[in-house]
Amino acid sequence: MTDPETLSVTIVDGYVDEPAHFGVPPYISTYPRYTAGALVDAGVPREQITYHTIDGLRDDTNRWRDVDEADLMIYLGGMTVPGKYVGGTPAEPDEVRKLAWTASGTSLMGGPVKFGVGDENAGATETERQDLDFDFVAKGDVEAAVFDLVESGLEGFNNRMRDVDEVSRWAQEGAFVVDQHPNHPNHLIAELETSRGCAYRCSFCTEPLYGNPSFRPPPTVVGEVDALSDYGVKHFRIGRQADILAYGGDGEAPNPDALRQLYSGIREVAPDLETLHLDNMNPITIVEWPEKSREGIRIIAEHNTPGDTAAFGLESADPVVQEENNLNVSAEECFEAVRIVNEEGGWRPGEEPTDAPTFGDDAPRRLPKLLPGINLLHGLKGEREETYERNMAFLRRVYDEGYMLRRINIRQVMAFDGTDMSDTGAEIANEHKKLFKRYKTQVREEIDNPMLERVAPPGTVLPDVHLEYHQDGTTFGRQLGTYPLLVGVPGERALGQTIDVAVVDHGYRSVTAVPYPLDLNAASMDELTAIPGIGSSTAGDIVVDRPYESVADARVDTTVDLSQFVTTRPLERVN
């Protein structure tokens, strides 16, 4: 019998991406925090718990010693939706096997990896269950397995799901582990769970495998935020739920009172938070209960931070695909939900909420508080060429009728055992790869680019952009939050710093921006020519005639209001 007080434990975070859960840096998912809390609750001292990300192991091979020497090594990971990631690279199957082979002690694997493993983390793939040479695989909740395994003296556990009391306790007990994340404290956003499971049964989705919705009461989530704040976390996303509007209700109908308790409680215990965003919102909820949904959306937009996105799982605008895959919302219903979110959440700081949605020259230069995002999934049963045409028609309608989408997520299906798509697999997705590629380009060119200019027109200020990498003479960075804009800043600036920027131009899913406010007396030629209305000749004149006491002194001949982008800082004089 192994005494918990003597155990040394290493947790390795291989990252997760689920329909209602995200954990690729700069995010930290609930899994490592809950697992650490379960270990402490089972009697393992905090100082004997080591946490590493898979990127941390890649960066420093000496850290593998912690994997080797631990009495218990726990791997957490699994991608059940495909994506492209900037902040970190999810663990590949070969790396996960290496973890199991390296561990000299007991090894346990858990998280969404239990649903299956593909050859790579990509769409249009089929997955199968692989235990990857671990001693134990948690087929239920990994945190419950960890608690039971430690209590049994590492002898074993019964696969089970944890209850609300346990997760509420473990969420607070495990908050300390964020201290060991490489991004802590300034560039880390904590994913928060309000519920699991889903009332609906879409063919491709793994979320229903967690059962019907079960909710954590507002005080338990607020207590978790309070604990995380004590460890320096200032960025939060309420992302671990299938539908934020259904929170605290019967799993389908909205409960505005529960949302008010949740959001106001978070603001009370973390008054200095810098990000409060969400993820999933079910459009069918908005259509079925429009007035309660409007109230809930108003509550969210009152308490959140700008740039928030409510991801809508339309998946397909084709009624044939909707019918064959148990999709619960039609294109017409989704359009109505887009309209309502725009009307209730599409206002910008500095204006009245009743003005929403706003865009154009008169709109304040900040991102809207809350906009819908659209998820489109391809390779589903019944997909045909007309499916792509119907999706394009839906997106054009949203734009033409004057509404905004924060982002359009287009991906191909991954087929997991236990879902209805397991019979179809990736066959349709593979057949339509060329069609999918052409259509995706069309969406980016015809919808994404003009929509992005509507959402973030030139002069829009994006505070606290974290600079992450260089490419082709440009520095790229993002804000922390849900689906943050990729921002390209001219020139190669020092990485790791955080700056405010103003948008000057738009790509398909990214923007070009200059530091805000840009000092006219110090700006580079690349920065000056990036500003709308300033060409290379004008920029050259600005540089030659410096310094200036004020922006007006530059006498720049342009129709653009330069005060949206530039200032003149006091001149330093030599004594």
Side-chain angles (χ1 to χ4, degrees):
M1 185 76 173
T2 305
D3 183 353
E5 291 191 358
T6 68
L7 276 181
S8 65
V9 183
T10 294
I11 300 170
V12 177
D13 188 350
Y15 312 143
V16 302
D17 192 354
E18 301 180 83
H21 200 177
F22 194 49
V24 182
Y27 286 83
I28 181 170
S29 74
T30 66
Y31 288 110
R33 292 156 25 215
Y34 292 1
T35 297
L39 288 166
V40 171
D41 197 28
V44 180
R46 289 184 180 182
E47 59 271 17
Q48 290 167 209
I49 300 172
T50 301
Y51 168 74
H52 290 304
T53 65
I54 189 65
D55 282 313
L57 293 179
R58 293 171 181 139
D59 293 341
D60 185 355
T61 56
N62 290 325
R63 293 171 179 161
W64 282 86
R65 184 180 299 114
D66 293 328
V67 175
D68 177 20
E69 297 177 354
D71 298 315
L72 173 61
M73 191 280 291
I74 304 163
Y75 170 73
L76 307 169
M79 321 300 286
T80 61
V81 293
K84 294 182 179 179
Y85 312 103
V86 175
T89 303
E92 295 288 350
D94 285 347
E95 292 179 304
V96 182
R97 290 189 188 92
K98 181 181 176 182
L99 287 167
W101 298 339
T102 301
S104 298
T106 302
S107 61
L108 167 68
M109 179 175 73
V113 68
K114 69 186 179 184
F115 294 127
V117 180
D119 292 333
E120 58 179 340
N121 298 317
T125 58
E126 299 178 14
T127 63
E128 61 181 9
R129 175 61 182 280
Q130 299 176 30
D131 292 348
L132 300 174
D133 298 330
F134 278 70
D135 296 326
F136 294 103
V137 178
K139 300 174 185 176
D141 281 325
V142 63
E143 54 268 36
V146 165
F147 180 85
D148 295 347
L149 183 62
V150 172
E151 282 218 319
S152 75
L154 304 186
E155 294 298 323
F157 54 87
N158 294 318
N159 287 297
R160 67 178 179 89
M161 308 301 279
R162 36 78 169 173
D163 60 36
V164 171
D165 288 340
E166 285 178 320
V167 71
S168 300
R169 195 165 65 245
W170 297 342
Q172 295 189 44
E173 289 277 11
F176 73 94
V177 83
V178 299
D179 265 346
Q180 300 180 49
H181 195 287
N183 288 42
H184 182 269
N186 296 322
H187 192 53
L188 185 67
I189 182 166
E191 187 87 325
L192 300 175
E193 174 188 320
T194 63
S195 70
R196 290 196 310 179
C198 186
Y200 304 99
R201 297 292 183 268
C202 299
S203 69
F204 60 90
C205 189
T206 56
E207 191 60 24
L209 301 180
Y210 288 105
N212 291 323
S214 61
F215 300 98
R216 295 176 60 195
T220 70
V221 183
V222 171
E224 181 182 2
V225 171
D226 195 11
L228 288 165
S229 295
D230 288 343
Y231 286 97
V233 178
K234 292 183 179 292
H235 306 274
F236 303 92
R237 188 178 83 150
I238 305 171
R240 183 66 178 96
Q241 72 279 313
D243 180 10
I244 186 63
L245 289 180
Y247 173 66
D250 61 5
E252 297 183 46
N255 184 346
D257 288 340
L259 285 172
R260 188 174 289 106
Q261 291 180 54
L262 176 67
Y263 273 85
S264 63
I266 289 173
R267 281 293 193 171
E268 183 175 347
V269 300
D272 298 325
L273 67 78
E274 296 176 11
T275 304
L276 180 57
H277 280 186
L278 61 87
D279 190 7
N280 297 301
M281 185 181 288
N282 198 328
I284 197 63
T285 304
I286 300 172
V287 175
E288 295 286 347
W289 295 276
E291 293 310 313
K292 282 189 174 182
S293 294
R294 283 182 181 272
E295 183 180 357
I297 293 165
R298 286 195 294 270
I299 291 167
I300 293 168
E302 176 189 353
H303 292 91
N304 71 354
T305 52
D308 201 358
T309 307
F312 280 4
L314 171 61
E315 316 304 355
S316 179
D318 186 345
V320 172
V321 176
Q322 292 164 5
E323 176 69 24
E324 292 199 27
N325 294 275
N326 301 318
L327 306 184
N328 61 57
V329 64
S330 69
E332 188 63 37
E333 290 168 330
C334 190
F335 180 84
E336 176 66 9
V338 166
R339 182 179 68 84
I340 288 174
V341 173
N342 268 261
E343 291 174 352
E344 300 298 342
W347 54 278
R348 303 168 191 261
E351 67 184 359
E352 291 298 320
T354 52
D355 293 337
T358 58
F359 51 86
D361 292 339
D362 296 331
R365 288 309 194 249
R366 291 293 302 277
L367 290 176
K369 291 298 290 295
L370 178 67
L371 291 177
I374 297 295
N375 294 338
L376 295 171
L377 185 61
H378 289 273
L380 295 173
K381 291 182 288 186
E383 182 176 283
R384 52 199 175 140
E385 189 165 349
E386 186 178 337
T387 303
Y388 295 83
E389 297 168 359
R390 286 180 174 269
N391 285 353
M392 280 299 304
F394 171 84
L395 296 174
R396 287 194 188 102
R397 182 186 177 192
V398 171
Y399 184 82
D400 291 345
E401 296 202 21
Y403 297 112
M404 292 181 285
L405 299 175
R406 171 56 195 83
R407 70 96 178 91
I408 303 164
N409 188 16
I410 304 171
R411 55 195 175 89
Q412 289 185 293
V413 71
M414 297 176 75
F416 288 90
D417 285 339
T419 68
D420 291 345
M421 274 299 297
S422 61
D423 294 335
T424 304
E427 181 180 345
I428 296 173
N430 286 322
E431 287 177 358
H432 292 173
K433 271 190 177 294
K434 289 184 178 179
L435 180 60
F436 176 79
K437 187 175 181 180
R438 289 198 304 271
Y439 149 85
K440 193 171 182 177
T441 299
Q442 186 181 16
V443 172
R444 298 301 180 229
E445 292 176 349
E446 297 181 16
I447 306 296
D448 273 321
N449 182 258
M451 184 67 77
L452 187 52
E453 186 166 0
R454 178 177 289 179
V455 172
T460 299
V461 176
L462 305 177
D464 300 323
V465 172
H466 184 83
L467 304 182
E468 297 177 286
Y469 66 95
H470 297 137
Q471 183 176 314
D472 299 330
T474 300
T475 304
F476 288 91
R478 298 173 299 169
Q479 296 174 295
L480 285 176
T482 298
Y483 310 110
L485 282 170
L486 182 62
V487 180
V489 181
E492 293 196 353
R493 307 178 72 88
L495 301 181
Q497 65 174 318
T498 299
I499 64 172
D500 298 345
V501 302
V503 175
V504 295
D505 199 5
H506 306 81
Y508 299 150
R509 306 189 78 188
S510 63
V511 296
T512 301
V514 294
Y516 177 82
L518 187 65
D519 183 4
L520 209 57
N521 289 323
S524 69
M525 283 287 291
D526 285 342
E527 290 169 337
L528 289 170
T529 55
I531 297 173
I534 296 183
S536 57
S537 177
T538 302
D541 291 341
I542 291 173
V543 171
V544 169
D545 294 336
R546 291 195 295 211
Y548 306 100
E549 291 285 351
S550 68
V551 174
D553 288 345
R555 301 182 185 278
V556 177
D557 183 17
T558 177
T559 59
V560 175
D561 180 7
L562 282 184
S563 65
Q564 293 181 337
F565 307 99
V566 301
T567 188
T568 52
R569 295 194 172 91
L571 302 177
E572 295 182 2
R573 302 190 183 278
V574 178
N575 293 327

